[in-house]
Amino acid sequence: MATKTQVEAVINGEPIEFLCEPRQSLLEVLRDTLGLTGSKEGCNNGNCGACSVLIDGALVNACLVLAVEIQGRQVTTIEGIATPDGLHPLQQKFLEHAALQCGFCTPGFIVAAKALLDRNPDPSEAEVRQWLAGNLCRCTGYDHIVKAILAAADRPTGAEAHP
Amino acid sequence: MASVWIPALLRSLTGGQATVSATGTSVLALIDDLDTRYPGLRARLVDGDRLRPGLAVVVDGKTGRLRLREPVAEASEVHFVATISGG
Amino acid sequence: MTQTEKTSRPGFRVIGSSPLRQDGVEKVTGRARFGADIHLPGLLIGAVLRSPHAHARILAIDTSAAAAYPGVKAVVTALDLPELESKIADIGEASINQRYQSNNILARDKVLYFGHAVAAVAAVNGHVAEAAAALIKVDYEVLPPVLDVRAAMAPDAPILLEELRTAELGDHGTGPTNVAAHLLLETGDIARGFEAAAVVVERAFTTAMVHQGYIEPHAATAQVEADGQVTIWCSTQGTFGVREQVASILRLPLSRIRVVPLEIGGGFGGKNNVYLEPLAVLLSRKSGFRPVKLTMSRKDVLAATGPTSGSVITVKLGADAAGKLTAAQATLIYEAGAYPGSPVGSAMDVIFTPYRIPHVRIDGYDVVVNKPHTAAYRAPGGTNAAFAAESVVDELSERLGLDPIAFRLLNGVHEGNRKVDGVAFERIGLLETLEAAQSTAHYRAAAPGRHRGRGVAAGFWGNYGGKSSASASVNADGTISLIEGSVDIGGSRTSIAMQLAETLELPIETVRTTIADTDSIGETEGTYGSRTTFATGWAAYEVGQKLKVGLKERAAHLWGVTAADVDYADGVFRSGAEHMTFAGLAAQMDGTGGPVVASASVQPSSWGPGFAVHIVDVEVDPETGKVDILRYTALQDAGKAVYPDYVAGQMQGGAAQGIGWALHEEFIYDGQGRLLNANWLDYRMPVSLDLPFIETVIVEVPSPSHPYGVRGVGEVPIVPPAAAVANAIYRAIGVRLTELPMSPGRIVAALRAQDR
Ligand code: FES
Ligand code: FES
């Protein structure tokens, strides 16, 4: 068995130490070693965004990052989005807008949307759609997801002006 | 007499007739009655003592939960259709 | 935006409202446990070795190196499975040859598709399991693959299954063949019908094999105890279906198996069949009764599960000068994949059903090819069939100079009309849905401009009833715990609870739903066939009626009257001057006889079919062939929309899948039958950028076959989209595309052919 490396990082605000093999992805360690199964594996090769996490605030696919690479860094997963007082506004809006059907893609979309709103608090529909292009949802047709994110950004939704 | 709609693939047994009349108080009784006039029909619809897998019987627009034992009335309409349960 | 046409009876208090879904918080916080999220003490991880060949005989398998690999606890091949005789069994509602089902779990004599499972390993972790699986040596005699239905039907085609004979409703052919079945529907006399036609259009269509594309890969975990008791945790559309299939494949009594549902990340029909569950059981048993988890990679999911058939379809339609359809004929040839069982039968049920046509003949063929065994996919077979038929309907209406919706209104079916199989419709809502489509702002908007076009298509899906069970207990504080057996893929915990709350005339917040394992609830068929809100909701309704009876007896005790003297309305029990709220009476259960519980099982004998009409505007770039969806409106008769936000979600999701099928999605095989695009970069599903907001209009023509008028809603929205997009492309560029997907290359080629 390969030798294990010790990694220290901050995950969802908690300092954490773990041992991992050099070949293990961050997604594998989050899910299997740390029990953070909110990040999902849909493809394991960067095509679906179900494993979206933030590393030092930047949106990445955890399946494409080696766990050893997070040494000394801050990681936010879906488990770290809600506050002790309640849901994050994105989570609340996803519920209010029925933005999930099966819910498997949902953690990835919420993390990705948080990264967008942290950067651009007032995105247009086009900007939301552009930003989400790396996240696959097979159930919803994206309609309610885009509306939920626009609502979380306090944008009026449903104002689809057709000529 | 109940009227029985003959599946297209079995109409060679009924001389091309698409609907035929039959006597009986259950689906099986109708089939047995028809088999005396159109020999071979029973063997195509019934497998052992059960309706052939993949087939459902519809009596007066309702899928017969009792299958071959489903009761039929004097003026009933009986259809044999493919079971479709979807995705 | 979602807009509901108010044609149903008013007066619902819970049904039709928009509560937050009961499993919502778990799902937005990442706490919901899906198929792969389970961890058990001592858990082993499995890996599956899959065939690199599409068609080959297995001469020998040597597992010794894998078994000796450090960390490996068990290795299994088909020899570990009971050898089953060839026998057709009704598993749930599908007829399946149990031997084929077993051979699909692990190939015995032959591999029949690229990715066919051959052996499986359980080890201390996934990396070890995969390394060990790669050490298994399989000796293959490679055979020529059959990859196309036309080639498969040729007289000299290589034969996939030696014992296969063409079935024809209880009869079968005599010689070896790849044609598993010939089906026929016929009414009237098409020769006469076409003679009466003033205009006849005939076209041939082909569609590619596509995948359901659920985002969650298959996952299953099993624990076998030393006494043989089996527990399976998995993400499946139907726990009872898993139990039945595992029992059949492994020859176990049903009571020996308990299936525990985890949350499911999409299924669309593809998670009814078992793949990993029997392997996890075998590996657990062979590894000294340790729990074993298996999950598929995305590549495995695409190569070895699910897909729905590619097809070759010809359609011929005739209409008289006034625009009335006189005759219809179709031949549908569907890929079954490696084993019989394509959805050609349901495709035949769909293809002409929206229309009144006196003379019809439909031939269907179920053909095996060296591709994965097809599984159900949302309105199985319907999208292909409607693509063909609705393209021809569009062409016919154009030739007759009729508006496409007006043409459909002229010929559309209504109550009392007969389907081709002779069964008469109860109350249905096609005409209402067409009328609603005609009056949408979208349809009335000006034509969309140069290189742009607007297309319309209609679709039918018969829906399904099936067996469902529910039970509930009243709590002392007046709340209710509801237990049911349908896994929740899109809000059904809530839509079922809403029907119980409606029956009891209580706020939805009083009812909390738990989804039970197979030992804890009566048999409930899977979440398929658009049946869950319909049938399990009906079971919840029956439970509600029984609870009312039970509680009235308690009130009668308290008041010294008979139960017949107690009325219940608006959440209050009354008799003469006495009255008590539901919660007040619940507090008195202890002292009037103890708990009040009820359970009910239903198996409806009819179910209202669904109709949908879709309108789409596209823009085609004639240089690149790229198609943009500019605007999309989906309309559908939901009977009664219990949970309208989620009905709209089904309509939008079905439309999106249909758009992907129309424009991008297809399995690409090389000449040897190897799947070349087993990843999501190359198997291109729609992303957020590809779609506009999808407008929805819910039409409500109550179904007479449900206490609340509910019709299934999940499947029919995938029926019209491919046809609607094709018709829009035609209006944009003047070329009819007859092949799916209508990818840029095909559009450019069609434009060039037109120029010549
Ligand atoms: S699992 Fe990481 S992108 Fe799909
Ligand atoms: S809600 Fe199912 S994949 Fe998005």
Side-chain angles (χ1 to χ4, degrees):
Chain A
M1 214 148 289
T3 43
K4 295 202 170 186
T5 306
Q6 180 170 343
V7 178
E8 290 167 29
V10 176
I11 298 184
N12 298 331
E14 297 273 331
I16 246 166
E17 285 175 32
F18 58 85
L19 291 174
C20 69
E21 294 177 34
R23 65 179 170 181
Q24 287 187 289
S25 72
L26 173 58
L27 181 61
E28 188 183 341
V29 167
L30 286 174
R31 290 180 51 80
D32 296 348
T33 309
L34 302 176
L36 294 169
T37 54
S39 304
K40 301 302 177 196
E41 181 185 320
C43 67
N44 214 23
N45 62 3
N47 290 334
C48 76
C51 63
S52 297
V53 299
L54 306 179
I55 300 183
D56 294 338
L59 179 63
V60 298
N61 290 326
C63 68
L64 295 183
V65 176
L66 291 173
V68 292
E69 293 180 78
I70 68 160
Q71 169 62 40
R73 304 177 74 177
Q74 304 247 3
V75 177
T76 304
T77 70
I78 185 65
E79 288 90 347
I81 300 288
T83 65
D85 315 324
L87 298 179
H88 185 277
L90 274 165
Q91 292 170 316
Q92 189 61 35
K93 291 298 173 195
F94 266 62
L95 293 182
E96 288 169 12
H97 285 259
L100 49 146
Q101 280 177 35
C102 77
F104 190 80
C105 68
T106 308
F109 272 96
I110 288 175
V111 170
K114 180 175 189 308
L116 170 64
L117 298 188
D118 286 349
R119 220 163 247 85
N120 176 359
D122 187 25
S124 66
E125 180 201 335
E127 287 169 327
V128 171
R129 288 189 184 276
Q130 180 78 43
W131 184 265
L132 296 181
N135 288 77
L136 287 175
C137 174
R138 190 60 157 173
C139 298
T140 64
Y142 306 99
D143 184 291
H144 291 175
I145 293 176
V146 173
K147 285 175 181 155
I149 295 169
L150 291 173
D154 242 347
R155 271 243 176 190
T157 57
E160 317 96 87
H162 283 292
Chain B
M1 294 233 277
S3 63
V4 179
W5 292 57
I6 303 297
L9 281 170
L10 306 188
R11 289 182 199 153
S12 57
L13 299 173
T14 58
Q17 293 182 84
T19 46
V20 294
S21 298
T23 317
T25 55
S26 72
V27 171
L28 185 60
L30 294 184
I31 293 174
D32 281 337
D33 177 42
L34 288 174
D35 199 62
T36 60
R37 271 172 290 149
Y38 310 113
L41 203 60
R42 181 190 163 115
R44 301 289 291 272
L45 293 170
V46 180
D47 181 17
D49 59 352
R50 303 191 54 180
L51 198 59
R52 186 163 292 287
L55 271 188
V57 62
V58 176
V59 178
D60 299 324
K62 309 275 185 207
T63 300
R65 282 174 294 200
L66 305 182
R67 310 213 171 123
L68 291 175
R69 282 182 295 280
E70 187 72 16
V72 289
E74 219 8 64
S76 283
E77 255 187 41
V78 177
H79 302 264
F80 297 96
V81 302
T83 53
I84 294 171
S85 53
Chain C
M1 65 178 272
T2 304
Q3 152 196 352
T4 306
E5 302 277 306
K6 293 275 176 236
T7 57
S8 67
R9 62 208 146 115
F12 287 111
R13 63 178 68 209
V14 180
I15 286 177
S17 67
S18 299
L20 297 188
R21 62 189 279 172
Q22 298 192 352
D23 52 345
V25 169
E26 283 166 54
K27 284 181 177 162
V28 297
T29 53
R31 277 200 286 276
R33 286 203 309 170
F34 287 83
D37 296 343
I38 183 165
H39 191 86
L40 298 170
L43 185 69
L44 301 177
I45 304 296
V48 176
L49 178 72
R50 294 178 183 277
S51 168
H53 306 295
H55 195 190
R57 212 175 296 286
I58 298 173
L59 303 177
I61 303 178
D62 178 0
T63 59
S64 55
Y69 193 76
V72 169
K73 303 294 178 189
V75 183
V76 296
T77 68
L79 297 179
D80 294 278
L81 285 168
E83 187 156 13
L84 301 177
E85 57 177 317
S86 193
K87 180 173 146 235
I88 310 278
D90 276 336
I91 299 274
E93 285 297 313
S95 311
I96 292 169
N97 184 323
Q98 56 180 16
R99 184 143 71 92
Y100 294 154
Q101 198 174 31
S102 171
N103 292 351
N104 197 38
I105 300 300
L106 284 174
R108 191 171 284 267
D109 313 314
K110 270 175 120 184
V111 290
L112 292 171
Y113 56 94
F114 173 80
H116 198 159
V118 176
V121 177
V124 291
N125 67 47
H127 299 288
V128 171
E130 267 165 39
L135 296 177
I136 297 172
K137 284 201 277 293
V138 186
D139 222 351
Y140 292 106
E141 175 196 342
V142 179
L143 303 168
V146 183
L147 300 168
D148 174 273
V149 286
R150 285 157 294 200
M153 292 172 91
D156 56 345
I159 295 294
L160 273 71
L161 303 163
E162 297 299 336
E163 70 284 12
L164 191 67
R165 303 290 179 270
T166 305
E168 270 195 325
L169 191 47
D171 199 3
H172 50 75
T174 49
T177 178
N178 293 319
V179 181
H182 169 225
L183 291 79
L184 177 66
L185 288 172
E186 191 170 21
T187 187
D189 173 355
I190 50 165
R192 262 180 51 211
F194 284 115
E195 268 166 34
V199 188
V200 174
V201 175
E202 180 170 12
R203 289 207 181 250
F205 300 84
T206 58
T207 74
M209 184 172 256
V210 297
H211 197 274
Q212 293 82 346
Y214 33 80
I215 309 298
E216 180 200 31
H218 295 257
T221 301
Q223 166 77 65
V224 182
E225 303 296 347
D227 64 359
Q229 203 63 31
V230 174
T231 306
I232 297 170
W233 297 262
C234 59
S235 83
T236 172
Q237 289 178 238
T239 49
F240 285 88
V242 169
R243 187 178 73 160
E244 207 169 345
Q245 292 173 71
V246 171
S248 159
I249 291 165
L250 299 181
R251 285 261 161 272
L252 292 172
L254 292 168
S255 65
R256 280 271 162 181
I257 304 168
R258 183 168 71 106
V259 180
V260 183
L262 299 169
E263 299 301 330
I264 167 172
F268 312 111
K271 287 184 186 159
N272 292 311
N273 297 346
V274 298
Y275 299 94
L276 301 176
E277 289 82 352
L279 297 179
V281 173
L282 287 179
L283 288 168
S284 175
R285 194 192 273 159
K286 217 174 172 178
S287 63
F289 309 110
R290 289 180 63 172
V292 175
K293 173 158 84 172
L294 287 149
T295 54
M296 285 196 196
S297 67
R298 179 53 45 187
K299 181 182 173 194
D300 292 351
V301 172
L302 289 170
T305 72
T308 193
S309 314
S311 55
V312 176
I313 303 172
T314 57
V315 169
K316 183 178 174 187
L317 274 179
D320 66 20
K324 289 269 199 187
L325 288 164
T326 59
Q329 183 178 7
T331 302
L332 300 91
I333 308 173
Y334 273 53
E335 293 172 317
Y339 301 102
S342 77
V344 68
S346 51
M348 294 164 70
D349 192 53
V350 161
I351 188 161
F352 298 130
T353 301
Y355 307 108
R356 281 174 286 124
I357 315 176
H359 305 283
V360 181
R361 180 183 167 115
I362 308 166
D363 285 90
Y365 296 90
D366 182 35
V367 181
V368 295
V369 292
N370 290 114
K371 296 181 181 179
H373 180 34
T374 55
Y377 179 16
R378 203 172 200 161
T383 307
N384 327 30
F387 167 61
E390 292 289 304
S391 292
V392 174
V393 166
D394 192 64
E395 187 167 353
L396 206 52
S397 64
E398 193 203 15
R399 295 262 291 272
L400 289 158
L402 289 169
D403 166 83
I405 294 183
F407 179 82
R408 288 172 170 86
L409 277 168
L410 182 64
N411 289 289
V413 282
H414 51 74
E415 184 177 359
N417 293 151
R418 291 185 188 277
K419 293 169 62 200
V420 192
D421 60 17
V423 179
F425 281 117
E426 298 183 308
R427 185 81 171 86
I428 48 172
L430 172 63
L431 300 182
E432 289 81 352
T433 308
L434 286 165
E435 280 161 5
Q438 240 175 355
S439 59
T440 53
H442 182 176
Y443 200 65
R444 291 150 68 113
R450 190 172 144 75
H451 294 145
R452 295 178 168 199
R454 177 168 303 148
V456 176
F460 160 83
W461 184 252
N463 293 329
Y464 178 58
K467 293 163 283 208
S468 277
S469 303
S471 67
S473 49
V474 178
N475 300 314
D477 61 357
T479 62
I480 294 158
S481 301
L482 168 64
I483 299 171
E484 45 96 355
S486 289
V487 298
D488 182 351
I489 319 186
S492 61
R493 278 179 178 87
T494 313
S495 66
I496 293 162
M498 287 168 81
Q499 292 176 74
L500 178 58
E502 183 73 46
T503 310
L504 294 173
E505 304 180 57
L506 294 173
I508 180 63
E509 291 72 23
T510 50
V511 181
R512 190 76 196 174
T513 313
T514 297
I515 299 168
D517 65 56
T518 51
D519 280 356
S520 311
I521 189 76
E523 184 175 352
T524 301
E525 286 182 53
T527 297
Y528 55 72
S530 305
R531 62 174 295 282
T532 300
T533 295
F534 171 82
T536 311
W538 192 334
Y541 163 86
E542 298 293 346
V543 165
Q545 298 295 2
K546 289 185 178 176
L547 289 179
K548 279 195 274 191
V549 170
L551 284 164
K552 280 180 183 175
E553 284 167 8
R554 303 311 173 85
H557 273 305
L558 285 174
W559 297 332
V561 297
T562 64
D565 295 328
V566 179
D567 289 326
Y568 179 71
D570 288 326
V572 180
F573 292 90
R574 289 176 201 278
S575 183
E578 304 279 8
H579 64 91
M580 193 174 266
T581 63
F582 187 94
L585 185 56
Q588 304 273 358
M589 285 188 302
D590 203 9
T592 58
V596 174
V597 300
S599 64
S601 291
V602 300
Q603 186 180 26
S605 60
S606 65
W607 40 91
F611 287 91
V613 177
H614 288 195
I615 310 167
V616 58
D617 291 0
V618 303
E619 176 164 2
V620 183
D621 181 337
E623 299 298 317
T624 63
K626 181 169 186 296
V627 176
D628 284 323
I629 305 290
L630 302 176
R631 186 171 183 180
Y632 203 103
T633 304
L635 302 98
Q636 183 174 327
D637 174 17
K640 176 65 206 172
V642 175
Y643 199 9
D645 287 350
Y646 286 83
V647 173
Q650 289 294 324
M651 294 162 70
Q652 293 166 333
Q657 282 184 316
I659 289 167
W661 195 337
L663 294 177
H664 315 291
E665 295 180 32
E666 67 179 313
F667 274 2
I668 300 171
Y669 287 92
D670 70 9
Q672 298 311 305
R674 288 177 291 236
L675 183 60
L676 298 180
N677 60 338
N679 67 74
W680 273 327
L681 214 51
D682 303 312
Y683 183 88
R684 174 123 157 51
M685 309 200 305
V687 301
S688 53
L689 267 181
D690 297 326
L691 299 171
F693 286 123
I694 295 168
E695 297 162 66
T696 56
V697 179
I698 299 171
V699 177
E700 296 188 319
V701 177
S703 166
S705 295
H706 185 277
Y708 292 128
V710 173
R711 298 176 193 276
V713 297
E715 291 171 290
V716 74
I718 203 172
V719 178
V725 171
N727 293 339
I729 291 173
Y730 169 74
R731 308 273 166 168
I733 59 172
V735 184
R736 290 220 175 256
L737 276 290
T738 56
E739 195 171 356
L740 295 185
M742 298 174 284
S743 50
R746 289 206 177 108
I747 287 180
V748 170
L751 280 167
R752 291 218 181 101
Q754 183 197 37
D755 286 347
R756 280 197 294 271

